[in-house]
């Protein structure tokens, strides 16, 4: 194992730990609120961090399928954020 | 030092920068004390951190010998949709009245383009 590969593996572990700690902090904000917008924002951030975890896992295992998973997670996260916000704003999602 | 080594080093540094950005975004989401202020941390810093992680993925695939540009699709989608969802969350904050209302303009009661023609010069 070369020096570059060792540094990359170390950085990958650091990134995974940072993403997991970020998920825990977002979950604390999701629980303590206090407003609805904070909870929607915490869910949106958690989806984006989960996308980062999927990408990091794809780099760790060297499997290309994880990038399609990442595209799907990004689209579902955006649509669910917009649906939650529209439900709060308008009382309905599709009028 | 070959191209593969340089790309692996660049991917490692991108991973470290992305990890720091993601962590700072999450800490800011937890630590700020106003709903509109909390909106800033994850929507800009967190998105940039994920962008660095995707850049690291591109560089690592280049270092492994099979370059792929699938991550650019995720990056473009994420950078386009993050401001849109942030705008929706800000509209939710304004709608629920949980932030300070913006100050009224100093002289006019409304926008100047909506004024009647006779008090346009005043």
């Amino acid at each position: 194992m070369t020096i570059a590969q060792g540094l990359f593996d170390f950085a990958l572990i650091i990134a995974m730990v940072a993403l997991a700690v970020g998920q825990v902090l977002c979950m604390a904000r999701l629980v303590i609120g206090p407003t609805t917008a904070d909870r929607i924002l915490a869910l949106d951030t958690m989806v984006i961090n989960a996308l980062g975890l999927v990408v990091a896992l794809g780099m760790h295992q060297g499997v290309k399928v994880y990038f399609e998973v990442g595209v799907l997670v990004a689209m579902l996260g955006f649509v669910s954020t917009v649906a939650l916000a529209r439900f709060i704003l308008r009382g309905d999602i599709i009028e | 030092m070959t191209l593969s080594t340089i790309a692996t080093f660049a991917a490692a540094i991108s991973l470290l920068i992305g990890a720091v950005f993601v962590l700072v975004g999450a800490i800011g989401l937890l630590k700020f004390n106003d709903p509109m202020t909390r909106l800033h941390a994850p929507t800009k810093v967190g998105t940039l951190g994920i962008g660095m992680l995707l850049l690291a993925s591109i560089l690592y695939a280049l270092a492994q010998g099979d370059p792929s540009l699938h991550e650019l699709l995720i990056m473009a989608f994420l950078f386009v949709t993050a401001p849109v969802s942030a705008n929706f969350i800000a509209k939710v904050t304004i709608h629920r009245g949980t932030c300070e209302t913006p100050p009224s303009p100093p002289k006019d009661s409304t926008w100047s383009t909506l004024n009647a023609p006779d008090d346009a010069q005043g």
Side-chain angles (χ1 to χ4, degrees), chain A residues 10 12 16-18 32 50 60 69 71 84 89 93:
Chain A
F10 178 69
L12 194 56
M16 279 185 177
V17 169
I32 67 179
H60 180 67
V69 178
V71 173
L84 273 170
L89 280 174
I93 295 173

Side-chain angles (χ1 to χ4, degrees), chain A residues 16-86:
Chain A
M16 279 185 177
V17 169
L19 284 164
V21 171
Q23 290 281 67
V24 172
L25 295 180
C26 290
M27 198 174 288
R29 176 53 73 191
L30 180 65
V31 171
I32 67 179
T35 67
T36 313
D38 286 326
R39 294 199 165 94
I40 298 174
L41 180 61
L43 269 179
D44 186 45
T45 311
M46 283 180 74
V47 168
I48 290 178
N49 279 359
L51 168 67
L53 274 174
V54 166
V55 170
L57 193 66
M59 270 188 283
H60 180 67
Q61 297 185 353
V63 181
K64 285 290 173 60
V65 183
Y66 283 112
F67 300 125
E68 277 79 10
V69 178
V71 173
L72 283 177
V73 167
M75 287 181 178
L76 278 179
F78 174 65
V79 170
S80 62
T81 303
V82 170
L84 273 170
R86 279 198 72 83

